[in-house]
Structures are given as C-alpha cells and as structure tokens.
Coordinates of all heavy atoms in Angstrom, one line a residue:
M15 N 9.7 0.8 -9.2 CA 8.5 0.1 -8.8 C 8.2 0.3 -7.3 O 9.1 0.2 -6.5 CB 8.7 -1.4 -9.1 CG 7.6 -2.3 -8.6 SD 7.8 -4.0 -8.9 CE 6.9 -4.1 -10.4
I16 N 7.0 0.6 -7.0 CA 6.6 0.8 -5.6 C 6.0 -0.5 -5.1 O 5.1 -1.1 -5.8 CB 5.7 2.0 -5.5 CG1 6.4 3.3 -5.8 CG2 5.1 2.0 -4.0 CD1 5.6 4.5 -5.7
T17 N 6.4 -1.0 -4.0 CA 5.9 -2.2 -3.4 C 5.6 -2.0 -1.9 O 6.1 -1.0 -1.3 CB 6.9 -3.4 -3.5 OG1 8.1 -3.0 -2.9 CG2 7.1 -3.8 -5.0
Y18 N 4.8 -2.9 -1.3 CA 4.6 -2.8 0.1 C 5.8 -3.4 0.9 O 6.3 -4.4 0.5 CB 3.3 -3.6 0.5 CG 2.0 -3.0 0.0 CD1 1.3 -3.6 -1.0 CD2 1.6 -1.8 0.5 CE1 0.1 -3.1 -1.4 CE2 0.4 -1.2 0.1 CZ -0.3 -1.8 -0.9 OH -1.5 -1.3 -1.4
K19 N 6.1 -2.7 2.0 CA 7.2 -3.2 2.8 C 6.6 -4.2 3.9 O 7.4 -4.9 4.5 CB 7.8 -2.0 3.6 CG 8.7 -1.1 2.7 CD 9.1 0.1 3.5 CE 10.4 -0.1 4.2 NZ 10.9 1.2 4.8
I20 N 5.3 -4.1 4.1 CA 4.6 -4.9 5.1 C 3.5 -5.6 4.5 O 3.0 -5.3 3.4 CB 4.1 -4.0 6.3 CG1 3.2 -2.9 5.7 CG2 5.3 -3.3 7.0 CD1 2.5 -2.1 6.8
D21 N 3.0 -6.6 5.2 CA 1.7 -7.3 4.8 C 0.6 -6.5 5.4 O 0.4 -6.5 6.6 CB 1.8 -8.7 5.3 CG 0.5 -9.5 4.9 OD1 -0.6 -8.9 4.8 OD2 0.6 -10.7 4.8
I22 N -0.1 -5.7 4.6 CA -1.1 -4.8 5.0 C -2.2 -5.6 5.8 O -2.6 -5.1 6.9 CB -1.8 -4.0 3.9 CG1 -0.7 -3.2 3.1 CG2 -2.9 -3.2 4.4 CD1 -0.1 -2.1 3.9
M23 N -2.7 -6.7 5.2 CA -3.8 -7.4 5.9 C -3.3 -7.9 7.3 O -4.1 -7.9 8.2 CB -4.3 -8.5 5.0 CG -4.9 -8.1 3.7 SD -6.3 -6.8 3.9 CE -7.5 -7.8 4.7
E24 N -2.1 -8.4 7.4 CA -1.6 -8.9 8.6 C -1.5 -7.7 9.7 O -1.8 -7.9 10.8 CB -0.2 -9.5 8.4 CG 0.4 -10.2 9.6 CD -0.5 -11.3 10.2 OE1 -1.1 -12.1 9.4 OE2 -0.5 -11.5 11.4
E25 N -1.0 -6.6 9.2 CA -0.9 -5.4 10.1 C -2.3 -5.0 10.6 O -2.5 -4.6 11.8 CB -0.1 -4.3 9.5 CG 1.3 -4.6 9.2 CD 2.1 -4.9 10.5 OE1 1.9 -4.2 11.5 OE2 2.9 -5.8 10.4
L26 N -3.3 -5.0 9.7 CA -4.6 -4.6 10.1 C -5.2 -5.6 11.1 O -5.8 -5.3 12.1 CB -5.5 -4.5 8.9 CG -5.3 -3.3 7.9 CD1 -6.1 -3.5 6.7 CD2 -5.6 -2.0 8.6
K27 N -4.9 -6.9 10.8 CA -5.4 -8.0 11.7 C -4.8 -7.8 13.1 O -5.5 -8.0 14.1 CB -4.9 -9.3 11.2 CG -5.4 -10.5 11.9 CD -4.9 -11.8 11.2 CE -5.3 -13.0 12.0 NZ -4.8 -14.2 11.4
K28 N -3.5 -7.3 13.2 CA -2.9 -7.1 14.5 C -3.6 -6.1 15.4 O -3.6 -6.1 16.6 CB -1.4 -6.7 14.3 CG -0.5 -7.8 13.9 CD 0.9 -7.2 13.7 CE 1.9 -8.2 13.2 NZ 3.2 -7.6 13.0
I29 N -4.3 -5.1 14.7 CA -5.0 -4.1 15.5 C -6.5 -4.4 15.5 O -7.3 -3.5 15.9 CB -4.7 -2.7 14.9 CG1 -5.1 -2.5 13.5 CG2 -3.2 -2.3 15.1 CD1 -5.1 -1.1 13.0
G30 N -6.9 -5.6 15.1 CA -8.3 -6.0 15.2 C -9.2 -5.6 14.1 O -10.4 -5.6 14.2
I31 N -8.6 -5.3 12.9 CA -9.4 -5.0 11.7 C -9.3 -6.1 10.7 O -8.2 -6.3 10.2 CB -8.9 -3.6 11.1 CG1 -9.1 -2.5 12.1 CG2 -9.7 -3.4 9.8 CD1 -8.6 -1.2 11.7
N32 N -10.4 -6.8 10.5 CA -10.4 -7.8 9.4 C -11.2 -7.3 8.2 O -11.7 -6.2 8.3 CB -10.9 -9.2 10.0 CG -12.3 -9.0 10.5 OD1 -13.1 -8.2 10.1 ND2 -12.7 -9.9 11.4
S33 N -11.3 -8.1 7.2 CA -12.0 -7.7 6.0 C -13.5 -7.3 6.3 O -13.9 -6.2 5.8 CB -12.0 -8.8 5.0 OG -10.7 -9.1 4.5
S34 N -14.1 -8.1 7.1 CA -15.5 -7.8 7.5 C -15.7 -6.4 8.2 O -16.5 -5.6 7.8 CB -16.1 -8.9 8.3 OG -16.1 -10.1 7.6
T35 N -14.8 -6.2 9.1 CA -14.8 -4.9 9.9 C -14.5 -3.8 9.0 O -15.2 -2.7 9.1 CB -13.8 -5.0 11.0 OG1 -14.0 -6.1 11.9 CG2 -13.9 -3.7 11.9
A36 N -13.5 -3.9 8.1 CA -13.1 -2.8 7.2 C -14.2 -2.5 6.3 O -14.5 -1.3 6.0 CB -11.9 -3.2 6.5
K37 N -14.9 -3.5 5.8 CA -16.0 -3.2 4.8 C -17.2 -2.6 5.6 O -17.9 -1.7 5.1 CB -16.5 -4.5 4.1 CG -15.4 -4.9 3.1 CD -15.9 -6.1 2.3 CE -15.8 -7.4 3.1 NZ -16.1 -8.6 2.4
K38 N -17.6 -3.2 6.7 CA -18.8 -2.8 7.5 C -18.6 -1.4 8.0 O -19.6 -0.6 7.9 CB -18.9 -3.7 8.7 CG -20.3 -3.5 9.4 CD -20.4 -4.3 10.7 CE -20.0 -5.8 10.5 NZ -20.1 -6.6 11.7
T39 N -17.5 -1.0 8.4 CA -17.3 0.4 8.9 C -17.0 1.4 7.8 O -17.0 2.6 8.1 CB -16.1 0.4 9.9 OG1 -14.9 0.0 9.2 CG2 -16.3 -0.4 11.1
G40 N -16.7 0.9 6.6 CA -16.4 1.8 5.5 C -15.0 2.3 5.5 O -14.6 3.2 4.8
L41 N -14.2 1.6 6.3 CA -12.8 2.0 6.4 C -12.1 1.8 5.0 O -11.4 2.7 4.5 CB -12.1 1.2 7.5 CG -10.6 1.5 7.8 CD1 -10.5 3.0 8.3 CD2 -10.1 0.6 8.9
F42 N -12.3 0.6 4.5 CA -11.7 0.3 3.1 C -12.8 -0.5 2.3 O -13.5 -1.3 2.9 CB -10.5 -0.6 3.3 CG -9.3 0.1 4.0 CD1 -9.0 -0.4 5.3 CD2 -8.7 1.2 3.5 CE1 -7.9 0.2 6.0 CE2 -7.6 1.8 4.2 CZ -7.3 1.3 5.4
A43 N -12.8 -0.2 1.1 CA -13.8 -0.8 0.1 C -13.2 -2.2 -0.2 O -12.1 -2.5 0.0 CB -13.9 0.0 -1.1
Q44 N -14.1 -3.1 -0.7 CA -13.8 -4.4 -1.1 C -12.6 -4.4 -2.1 O -11.7 -5.2 -2.0 CB -15.0 -5.2 -1.7 CG -14.7 -6.5 -2.2 CD -14.3 -7.5 -1.1 OE1 -14.8 -7.4 0.0 NE2 -13.4 -8.5 -1.4
G45 N -12.7 -3.5 -3.1 CA -11.6 -3.5 -4.1 C -10.3 -3.1 -3.5 O -9.2 -3.6 -3.9
T46 N -10.3 -2.2 -2.5 CA -9.1 -1.8 -1.9 C -8.5 -3.0 -1.1 O -7.3 -3.2 -1.1 CB -9.3 -0.6 -0.9 OG1 -9.8 0.5 -1.7 CG2 -8.0 -0.2 -0.2
L47 N -9.3 -3.7 -0.4 CA -8.9 -4.9 0.4 C -8.3 -5.9 -0.6 O -7.2 -6.5 -0.2 CB -10.0 -5.5 1.2 CG -10.6 -4.6 2.3 CD1 -11.9 -5.2 2.9 CD2 -9.5 -4.4 3.4
Q48 N -8.9 -6.1 -1.7 CA -8.3 -7.0 -2.7 C -6.9 -6.6 -3.2 O -6.0 -7.4 -3.3 CB -9.2 -7.2 -3.9 CG -10.5 -8.0 -3.7 CD -10.1 -9.4 -3.2 OE1 -10.3 -9.7 -2.1 NE2 -9.6 -10.2 -4.1
K49 N -6.7 -5.3 -3.3 CA -5.4 -4.7 -3.7 C -4.4 -5.0 -2.6 O -3.3 -5.4 -2.9 CB -5.5 -3.2 -4.0 CG -6.2 -2.9 -5.3 CD -6.2 -1.4 -5.5 CE -6.8 -1.1 -6.9 NZ -6.7 0.3 -7.2
F50 N -4.8 -4.8 -1.4 CA -3.9 -5.1 -0.3 C -3.5 -6.6 -0.3 O -2.3 -6.9 -0.1 CB -4.5 -4.8 1.1 CG -4.8 -3.4 1.4 CD1 -5.8 -3.0 2.3 CD2 -4.2 -2.4 0.7 CE1 -6.1 -1.7 2.6 CE2 -4.4 -1.0 1.0 CZ -5.4 -0.7 1.9
K51 N -4.5 -7.5 -0.5 CA -4.2 -8.9 -0.5 C -3.3 -9.3 -1.6 O -2.5 -10.2 -1.5 CB -5.5 -9.7 -0.6 CG -6.3 -9.6 0.7 CD -7.7 -10.3 0.6 CE -8.5 -10.1 1.8 NZ -9.9 -10.6 1.7
S52 N -3.5 -8.7 -2.8 CA -2.7 -9.1 -3.9 C -1.3 -8.4 -4.1 O -0.5 -8.7 -4.9 CB -3.5 -8.9 -5.2 OG -3.7 -7.5 -5.5
G53 N -1.1 -7.4 -3.2 CA 0.1 -6.6 -3.3 C 0.1 -5.5 -4.3 O 1.1 -4.8 -4.6
D54 N -1.1 -5.2 -4.8 CA -1.3 -4.1 -5.8 C -1.2 -2.7 -5.0 O -2.0 -2.4 -4.2 CB -2.7 -4.2 -6.4 CG -2.9 -3.2 -7.5 OD1 -2.2 -2.2 -7.6 OD2 -3.9 -3.4 -8.2
T55 N -0.2 -1.9 -5.4 CA 0.0 -0.6 -4.7 C -0.7 0.5 -5.4 O -0.4 1.7 -5.0 CB 1.5 -0.3 -4.6 OG1 2.1 -0.4 -5.9 CG2 2.2 -1.3 -3.7
A56 N -1.5 0.3 -6.4 CA -2.3 1.3 -7.1 C -3.4 1.8 -6.2 O -4.6 1.5 -6.5 CB -2.7 0.8 -8.4
I57 N -3.1 2.5 -5.1 CA -4.1 3.0 -4.2 C -4.0 4.5 -4.2 O -3.0 5.1 -4.6 CB -3.8 2.4 -2.7 CG1 -2.5 2.8 -2.2 CG2 -4.1 0.9 -2.7 CD1 -2.2 2.5 -0.8
S58 N -5.1 5.1 -3.7 CA -5.1 6.6 -3.7 C -4.4 7.1 -2.5 O -4.1 6.4 -1.5 CB -6.6 7.0 -3.6 OG -7.2 6.7 -2.4
V59 N -4.0 8.4 -2.6 CA -3.4 9.0 -1.4 C -4.3 9.0 -0.2 O -3.9 8.9 0.9 CB -3.0 10.5 -1.8 CG1 -2.5 11.2 -0.6 CG2 -2.0 10.5 -2.9
E60 N -5.6 9.1 -0.5 CA -6.6 9.0 0.6 C -6.5 7.7 1.3 O -6.6 7.6 2.6 CB -8.0 9.2 0.0 CG -9.1 9.2 1.1 CD -10.5 9.4 0.5 OE1 -10.6 9.9 -0.6 OE2 -11.4 8.9 1.2
V61 N -6.4 6.6 0.6 CA -6.3 5.3 1.2 C -5.0 5.2 1.9 O -4.9 4.6 3.1 CB -6.4 4.2 0.1 CG1 -6.0 2.8 0.7 CG2 -7.9 4.1 -0.4
L62 N -3.9 5.7 1.4 CA -2.6 5.7 2.0 C -2.7 6.5 3.3 O -2.2 6.0 4.4 CB -1.5 6.2 1.1 CG -0.1 6.3 1.7 CD1 0.4 4.9 2.2 CD2 0.9 6.9 0.7
N63 N -3.3 7.6 3.3 CA -3.5 8.4 4.5 C -4.3 7.6 5.6 O -3.9 7.7 6.8 CB -4.3 9.7 4.1 CG -4.4 10.6 5.3 OD1 -3.4 11.2 5.8 ND2 -5.6 10.8 5.8
R64 N -5.3 7.0 5.2 CA -6.1 6.2 6.1 C -5.3 5.0 6.7 O -5.4 4.8 7.9 CB -7.4 5.6 5.4 CG -8.5 5.2 6.4 CD -9.8 4.9 5.6 NE -10.2 6.1 4.8 CZ -10.9 6.0 3.7 NH1 -11.2 4.8 3.2 NH2 -11.3 7.1 3.1
L65 N -4.5 4.4 5.9 CA -3.6 3.3 6.4 C -2.6 3.9 7.4 O -2.4 3.3 8.5 CB -2.8 2.7 5.2 CG -3.4 1.5 4.5 CD1 -2.5 1.2 3.3 CD2 -3.6 0.3 5.4
C66 N -2.0 5.0 7.1 CA -1.1 5.6 8.0 C -1.8 5.9 9.4 O -1.2 5.7 10.4 CB -0.5 6.9 7.4 SG 0.6 6.6 6.1
A67 N -3.0 6.4 9.3 CA -3.7 6.8 10.5 C -4.0 5.5 11.4 O -3.7 5.5 12.6 CB -5.0 7.5 10.2
V68 N -4.6 4.5 10.8 CA -5.0 3.4 11.5 C -3.9 2.5 12.0 O -3.9 1.9 13.1 CB -6.1 2.5 10.8 CG1 -7.4 3.3 10.6 CG2 -5.6 1.9 9.6
L69 N -2.8 2.4 11.2 CA -1.6 1.6 11.6 C -0.6 2.4 12.4 O 0.4 1.9 12.8 CB -1.0 1.1 10.3 CG -1.8 0.1 9.5 CD1 -1.0 -0.4 8.2 CD2 -2.2 -1.1 10.3
E70 N -0.8 3.7 12.5 CA 0.1 4.6 13.2 C 1.5 4.5 12.6 O 2.5 4.3 13.3 CB 0.1 4.4 14.7 CG -1.3 4.7 15.3 CD -1.3 4.5 16.8 OE1 -0.3 4.0 17.4 OE2 -2.4 4.8 17.4
M71 N 1.6 4.6 11.3 CA 2.8 4.5 10.5 C 3.0 5.7 9.6 O 2.0 6.4 9.3 CB 2.9 3.2 9.7 CG 2.9 2.0 10.5 SD 3.0 0.5 9.4 CE 3.2 -0.8 10.6
Q72 N 4.2 5.9 9.1 CA 4.4 6.9 8.0 C 4.4 6.1 6.7 O 4.6 4.9 6.6 CB 5.8 7.5 8.2 CG 5.9 8.3 9.5 CD 5.1 9.6 9.4 OE1 5.1 10.3 8.4 NE2 4.3 9.8 10.5
P73 N 4.2 6.9 5.6 CA 4.2 6.2 4.3 C 5.4 5.4 4.0 O 5.4 4.3 3.5 CB 4.1 7.4 3.3 CG 3.3 8.4 4.0 CD 3.8 8.3 5.5
R74 N 6.6 5.9 4.5 CA 7.8 5.1 4.3 C 7.9 3.8 5.0 O 8.7 2.9 4.7 CB 9.0 6.0 4.6 CG 9.2 6.2 6.1 CD 10.4 7.0 6.5 NE 10.4 7.5 7.8 CZ 9.8 8.6 8.3 NH1 9.3 9.5 7.4 NH2 9.8 8.9 9.5
D75 N 7.0 3.7 6.0 CA 6.9 2.4 6.8 C 6.1 1.4 6.0 O 6.2 0.2 6.3 CB 6.3 2.6 8.1 CG 7.1 3.6 9.0 OD1 8.3 3.6 9.0 OD2 6.4 4.3 9.8
I76 N 5.3 1.8 5.1 CA 4.3 1.0 4.4 C 4.8 0.7 2.9 O 4.6 -0.4 2.5 CB 3.0 1.7 4.3 CG1 2.4 1.9 5.8 CG2 2.0 0.9 3.5 CD1 1.2 2.8 5.9
L77 N 5.4 1.7 2.3 CA 5.8 1.5 0.9 C 7.3 1.7 0.7 O 7.9 2.4 1.4 CB 5.1 2.6 0.0 CG 3.5 2.5 0.0 CD1 3.0 3.8 -0.7 CD2 3.0 1.3 -0.7
K78 N 7.8 1.1 -0.4 CA 9.2 1.3 -0.8 C 9.3 1.4 -2.3 O 8.5 0.8 -3.0 CB 10.1 0.2 -0.2 CG 9.9 -1.1 -0.9 CD 10.9 -2.2 -0.3 CE 10.6 -3.5 -1.0 NZ 11.6 -4.5 -0.5
F79 N 10.3 2.1 -2.7 CA 10.6 2.2 -4.1 C 11.9 1.4 -4.4 O 12.9 1.6 -3.8 CB 10.8 3.7 -4.6 CG 11.3 3.8 -6.0 CD1 10.4 3.6 -7.0 CD2 12.6 4.1 -6.2 CE1 10.9 3.7 -8.3 CE2 13.1 4.2 -7.5 CZ 12.2 4.0 -8.6
T80 N 11.8 0.6 -5.4 CA 12.9 -0.2 -5.9 C 13.0 0.0 -7.4 O 12.0 -0.3 -8.1 CB 12.8 -1.7 -5.6 OG1 12.6 -1.8 -4.2 CG2 14.1 -2.4 -6.0
E81 N 14.1 0.6 -7.9 CA 14.2 0.9 -9.3 C 14.3 -0.5 -10.1 O 15.0 -1.4 -9.7 CB 15.5 1.7 -9.6 CG 15.6 2.2 -11.0 CD 16.7 3.1 -11.2 OE1 16.7 4.3 -10.7 OE2 17.7 2.7 -11.8
D82 N 13.5 -0.6 -11.2 CA 13.5 -1.8 -12.0 C 13.8 -1.3 -13.4 O 14.0 -0.2 -13.7 CB 12.2 -2.6 -11.8 CG 11.0 -1.9 -12.3 OD1 11.1 -0.8 -12.9 OD2 9.9 -2.4 -12.1
D83 N 13.8 -2.3 -14.4 CA 14.1 -2.0 -15.8 C 13.1 -1.0 -16.4 O 13.6 -0.2 -17.1 CB 14.0 -3.3 -16.6 CG 15.2 -4.3 -16.3 OD1 16.2 -3.8 -15.7 OD2 15.1 -5.5 -16.5
S84 N 11.8 -1.1 -16.1 CA 10.9 -0.1 -16.7 C 11.2 1.3 -16.2 O 11.1 2.3 -16.9 CB 9.5 -0.5 -16.4 OG 9.2 -0.4 -15.0
D85 N 11.6 1.4 -14.9 CA 12.0 2.8 -14.4 C 13.3 3.3 -15.1 O 13.3 4.5 -15.5 CB 12.3 2.7 -12.9 CG 11.1 2.3 -12.1 OD1 10.0 2.8 -12.4 OD2 11.2 1.4 -11.2
R86 N 14.2 2.4 -15.3 CA 15.5 2.8 -16.0 C 15.2 3.2 -17.5 O 15.8 4.2 -18.0 CB 16.5 1.7 -15.9 CG 17.1 1.6 -14.5 CD 18.2 0.5 -14.5 NE 17.8 -0.8 -14.4 CZ 17.4 -1.4 -13.2 NH1 17.3 -0.7 -12.1 NH2 17.0 -2.6 -13.2
E87 N 14.3 2.5 -18.1 CA 13.9 2.9 -19.5 C 13.2 4.2 -19.5 O 13.5 5.0 -20.4 CB 12.9 1.8 -20.1 CG 13.6 0.5 -20.5 CD 14.7 0.7 -21.5 OE1 14.4 1.4 -22.5 OE2 15.8 0.1 -21.4
F88 N 12.4 4.5 -18.6 CA 11.7 5.8 -18.5 C 12.7 6.9 -18.3 O 12.7 8.0 -18.9 CB 10.7 5.8 -17.4 CG 10.0 7.1 -17.2 CD1 9.0 7.5 -18.1 CD2 10.2 7.9 -16.1 CE1 8.4 8.7 -18.0 CE2 9.6 9.2 -16.0 CZ 8.7 9.6 -16.9
L89 N 13.7 6.7 -17.5 CA 14.8 7.7 -17.2 C 15.6 7.9 -18.5 O 16.0 9.1 -18.7 CB 15.6 7.3 -16.0 CG 14.9 7.3 -14.7 CD1 15.9 6.7 -13.6 CD2 14.5 8.7 -14.3
K90 N 15.8 6.9 -19.3 CA 16.6 7.1 -20.5 C 15.9 8.1 -21.4 O 16.5 8.9 -22.1 CB 16.8 5.8 -21.2 CG 17.8 4.9 -20.6 CD 17.9 3.6 -21.4 CE 18.9 2.6 -20.8 NZ 18.9 1.4 -21.5
I91 N 14.5 8.0 -21.5 CA 13.7 8.8 -22.3 C 13.9 10.3 -21.9 O 13.9 11.2 -22.7 CB 12.2 8.4 -22.3 CG1 12.1 7.0 -22.9 CG2 11.3 9.4 -23.0 CD1 10.7 6.4 -22.7
L92 N 14.0 10.5 -20.6 CA 14.1 11.9 -20.1 C 15.4 12.6 -20.4 O 15.5 13.8 -20.4 CB 13.8 11.9 -18.6 CG 12.4 11.5 -18.2 CD1 12.3 11.5 -16.7 CD2 11.4 12.5 -18.7
K93 N 16.4 11.8 -20.6 CA 17.8 12.3 -20.8 C 18.0 12.7 -22.3 O 17.5 12.6 -23.2 CB 18.9 11.3 -20.4 CG 18.8 11.1 -19.0 CD 19.9 10.1 -18.6 CE 19.9 9.9 -17.1 NZ 20.9 8.9 -16.6

C-alpha cells in the first residue's frame, strides 16, 4: 500500500500555497486537492512531478510503500 509520508496540504501551506492559490493558478485541480486532504494517493505521475517541483522534494520524500495483506495476496498469485 502506498501512503503519504507527509501532510501534503501542510507542506504546501508552508510555502504559501493554499487551496485557493492552487486552484486559481491551475497548479492543482479541486479533485487533486481533495485527494491530498483525504490521503488518497491515486494521483498521476504528472501531479507527483508537480509536487516534487514545488515542494523541492523527491518522490521518496512524499510517498512510502508498506506491504499489507492485499499486497501479500497478490504476491501469492504470482508464485
């Protein structure tokens, strides 16, 4: 399971980007902001790239993988 290592909205806030600014400038769409707020990591590589650029971070600073039961079940199927 992939999860956020950081609070995306908090990190954006630290650099002066709030929801209004992100929407107004076209940096992130409303739906994407909702995903950030809810912890939904189903974002595009383009959005991840934009996050890395504005936050000056690497993907590994933003996301982490933690194996869970559904991942283990999937791996059993492959064996």
